[in-house]
Amino acid sequence: MIDAAFAEMFPLSEDKTEYRKLEGDYVRVESFNGKDMLVVAPEALTRLTDEAFHDVSHLLRPSHLAQVRAIIDDPEASPNDRFVALEMLKNANISAGGILPMCQDTGTAIIMGKKGQQVWTGANDAHYLSQGVVDAYSRLNLRYSQMSPLNMFDEVNTGNNLPAQIDLYATEGMYYKFMFMAKGGGSANKTFLYQETKALLNPASLEKFLLEKLPYIGTSACPPYHLAIVIGGTSAETNLKTVKLASARYLDGLPTTGGNQGHAVRDIEMEQKVLELTRTLGIGAQFGGKYFCHDVRVIRLPRHGASCPVGIGVSCSADRQMWGKITRDGVFLEALERDPAKYMPEVRTDRMSEQVVKIDLNQPMDDIRKTLAQYPIKTRVSLSGTMIVARDIAHAKLKERLDSGAGLPDYFKNHPVYYAGPAKTPEGMPSGSFGPTTAGRMDAYVDLFQAHGGSMVMVAKGNRSQGVTEACKKHGGFYLGSIGGAAAILAQNAIKKVEVLEYPELGMEAVWKIEVEDFPAFIIVDDKGNDFFKQL
């Protein structure tokens, strides 16, 4: 006898998602023990997964695109808000062509499945789902990002983007439902857990807490964000799992009132209050303004009386998740927007930013710095010429050179350094998707490298530590912020030539030399000790 007090913790309303049906005959209904059973060919799982990761790498939801367009239409949006929004819409149109993915970090493949007890595949479902990940990442121009440990300190790229994170649940019914997500490192790294107490559970304390914590999200995960805040949870891991689902809008159908049975509650009134709070921070869509967030989800969970975990996380401007399902009618995927051009506005480019300064990167480094020194932080610049591309592993290898007394190579002194790692290059194109990576991961190297004449002009995304600001003031360096979430448009319009310069064995982590034309960026940290993010 089931206890009548049992209740689902996450009771969701009816699914109103628009789906498209995949071609193929993968399902049939048979009888077992007097009940209908949905028999699913395991190959359906591979096909569904393959197509899902194609779609989430290239397409966005109509609702997300409408929110990006709304930024341009909002008279209260800052010029930089509007400029970033326009670039994101352009990026979406290029990515929808199915060649260049919307972001160069094509993410960890995450799959959640809820399998009804009346569904039978007769196979290891995780194996067939993983095969779909391999098929998509090897067939498409995506990036392999998964590192496998050889021991505690050494690791190697798996070369197929496995392992995927696969979480399968047993439920009742004759259907198999899925969430597919491609989660990049930038937004994954902006997931926070705080262990609080009941003292937080009043309006004044919660507002003070959020005002303190939300700015730490910063811009390195490519805002505007879909922000999720979860308060409570039967454990820390339940809290953070809920954060991820809420950021994907998977929990939008939760009830908005609670009771004594312990189910989750969505607080829509609090969501609006937090959204207004984010618009007072001044961070905006990466370079100042009101659009730090598109929207907010606030979920309240049951909790142990002695614990009050609080989770905060985001889905970034590469808003990559979608639903799938297998029913007696066939195999289905959420219908994402295949014609994002309909969201493009008629926009005068002179409304996007007050000033654009063209910078010739082929002149001597001292002349580049003299030009940048004439303009204040937040100035928009357009870069043309040669840049060196290097990120985490390459920086570590360059430090090894310094430690051995060999010095930095001339290319690192004579050219700006772009923190990035490209996706695969499509045939006939000069570059794959090639957007900026999070700058903060290279902060520890800046003072040392600048003292030896390198990293004098850095290009990446997100805010930086005080140490970088101090190093730039001491050595005369600059940090330029590039637009996160616009990797496809950078590849198509701004990057004209790509070649490996050193460490080819590192794959996308190699040192590259690229030629750019009208590459957009903003002055974030200057040689006078000014930092845009610190002045907010």
Side-chain angles (χ1 to χ4, degrees):
M1 189 73 175
I2 296 176
D3 186 350
F6 170 80
E8 293 285 346
M9 188 180 294
F10 299 98
L12 299 177
S13 59
E14 179 186 356
D15 181 12
K16 298 182 179 179
T17 304
E18 180 181 349
Y19 289 92
R20 65 179 181 90
K21 185 177 181 180
L22 305 190
E23 295 182 358
D25 186 12
Y26 295 105
V27 301
R28 67 183 189 273
V29 176
E30 294 188 2
S31 179
F32 173 75
N33 200 24
K35 286 189 175 183
D36 284 348
M37 294 289 293
L38 181 65
V39 180
V40 178
E43 293 78 14
L45 304 179
T46 300
R47 169 82 185 284
L48 183 69
T49 302
D50 184 350
E51 292 215 20
F53 283 104
H54 168 276
D55 285 7
V56 296
S57 298
H58 291 281
L59 306 173
L60 292 160
R61 287 171 166 158
S63 58
H64 174 86
L65 289 164
Q67 288 174 306
V68 178
R69 167 61 191 266
I71 296 173
I72 298 174
D73 293 335
D74 184 356
E76 295 182 353
S78 72
N80 287 338
D81 277 342
R82 290 195 294 269
F83 174 73
V84 170
L86 180 60
E87 292 300 294
M88 287 179 175
L89 288 177
K90 292 178 182 177
N91 191 72
N93 278 273
I94 294 170
S95 178
I99 304 299
L100 293 167
M102 68 183 74
C103 180
Q104 81 289 341
D105 183 350
T106 50
T108 296
I110 299 174
I111 304 169
M112 182 183 73
K114 293 186 175 182
K115 186 178 184 180
Q117 297 286 2
Q118 292 168 254
V119 176
W120 189 78
T121 60
N124 182 340
D125 291 6
H127 173 86
Y128 282 87
L129 293 167
S130 294
Q131 185 61 53
V133 173
V134 171
D135 289 353
Y137 277 80
S138 58
R139 175 173 58 87
L140 303 169
N141 297 306
L142 308 183
R143 195 175 84 186
Y144 306 140
S145 299
Q146 304 309 305
M147 307 299 292
S148 178
L150 300 175
N151 52 51
M152 179 59 73
F153 303 108
D154 300 312
E155 56 188 4
V156 62
N157 194 299
T158 62
N160 55 17
N161 217 54
L162 292 182
Q165 177 183 320
I166 300 176
D167 300 314
L168 301 179
Y169 299 86
T171 63
E172 60 183 0
M174 199 168 69
Y175 52 79
Y176 207 155
K177 294 186 176 181
F178 297 90
M179 182 192 74
F180 298 97
M181 176 184 290
K183 191 69 171 176
S187 59
N189 293 343
K190 293 302 180 180
T191 304
F192 299 94
L193 175 70
Y194 303 96
Q195 294 287 12
E196 299 298 315
T197 69
K198 182 175 171 54
L200 186 70
L201 300 181
N202 62 80
S205 296
L206 182 58
E207 180 177 355
K208 179 181 178 182
F209 174 87
L210 294 175
L211 275 171
E212 177 186 340
K213 303 301 184 185
L214 291 180
Y216 284 103
I217 298 173
T219 62
S220 59
C222 306
Y225 298 126
H226 300 280
L227 173 66
I229 300 168
V230 177
I231 301 170
T234 50
S235 64
E237 55 268 29
T238 295
N239 179 284
L240 291 180
K241 178 184 73 173
T242 307
V243 168
K244 182 167 288 184
L245 295 177
S247 72
R249 278 82 76 208
Y250 184 84
L251 302 176
D252 279 7
L254 284 174
T256 57
T257 58
N260 63 359
Q261 291 188 308
H263 65 71
V265 176
R266 181 181 173 195
D267 191 332
I268 294 176
E269 181 180 352
M270 181 60 70
E271 291 174 0
Q272 189 58 39
K273 289 180 179 179
V274 175
L275 180 62
E276 293 303 319
L277 185 153
T278 66
R279 291 179 172 176
T280 68
L281 299 177
I283 299 173
Q286 305 188 30
F287 304 106
K290 65 182 277 191
Y291 280 98
F292 186 55
C293 295
H294 286 302
D295 51 34
V296 179
R297 298 295 183 270
V298 177
I299 308 294
R300 179 70 159 86
L301 294 180
R303 67 184 185 92
H304 185 286
S307 303
C308 187
V310 179
I312 298 175
V314 298
S315 179
C316 67
S317 57
D319 187 44
R320 296 174 295 187
Q321 56 268 319
M322 68 187 307
W323 316 149
K325 65 180 181 180
I326 301 175
T327 72
R328 66 192 306 154
D329 296 318
V331 181
F332 299 85
L333 273 175
E334 181 177 352
L336 302 183
E337 181 58 72
R338 295 179 179 273
D339 182 24
K342 66 178 68 172
Y343 297 92
M344 289 291 292
E346 293 292 332
V347 178
R348 291 167 41 198
T349 57
D350 61 358
R351 292 182 63 218
M352 293 300 102
S353 191
E354 294 89 343
Q355 184 176 33
V356 182
V357 177
K358 291 187 175 293
I359 306 290
D360 178 9
L361 300 181
N362 291 329
Q363 60 184 320
M365 178 56 69
D366 285 347
D367 292 340
I368 294 173
R369 292 193 291 145
K370 287 178 183 176
T371 302
L372 290 170
Q374 299 174 38
Y375 299 95
I377 56 172
K378 214 168 73 169
T379 297
R380 181 181 162 201
V381 296
S382 178
L383 310 175
S384 297
T386 302
M387 287 200 291
I388 300 302
V389 178
R391 44 181 282 165
D392 308 54
I393 298 178
H395 274 67
K397 286 188 172 293
L398 292 174
K399 183 178 182 300
E400 289 175 2
R401 287 192 187 183
L402 284 177
D403 293 343
S404 68
L408 291 174
D410 286 342
Y411 63 71
F412 216 70
K413 301 177 183 179
N414 297 335
H415 304 290
V417 57
Y418 178 40
Y419 302 158
K424 285 184 285 188
T425 300
E427 186 175 353
M429 298 187 69
S431 171
S433 291
F434 213 154
T437 197
T438 303
R441 298 206 306 272
M442 271 57 73
D443 284 5
Y445 300 98
V446 174
D447 187 40
L448 175 64
F449 285 8
Q450 288 189 344
H452 288 81
S455 294
M456 299 310 298
V457 176
M458 301 161 285
V459 184
K461 68 175 181 178
N463 49 304
R464 311 220 46 183
S465 66
Q466 180 63 26
V468 171
T469 303
E470 293 171 356
C472 286
K473 182 177 181 180
K474 178 168 62 174
H475 302 293
F478 292 84
Y479 166 52
L480 310 181
S482 182
I483 299 170
I489 191 172
L490 289 174
Q492 178 167 291
N493 294 349
I495 299 176
K496 303 304 180 182
K497 185 179 179 181
V498 177
E499 59 182 297
V500 176
L501 199 58
E502 197 166 7
Y503 308 123
E505 69 277 8
L506 298 180
M508 65 93 177
E509 290 264 10
V511 175
W512 305 77
K513 178 181 177 182
I514 65 174
E515 301 296 327
V516 301
E517 183 178 318
D518 293 329
F519 186 104
F522 293 79
I523 300 175
I524 301 299
V525 177
D526 65 14
D527 59 346
K528 304 169 188 65
N530 298 310
D531 179 347
F532 162 67
F533 292 106
K534 294 294 191 299
Q535 293 191 7
L536 293 176

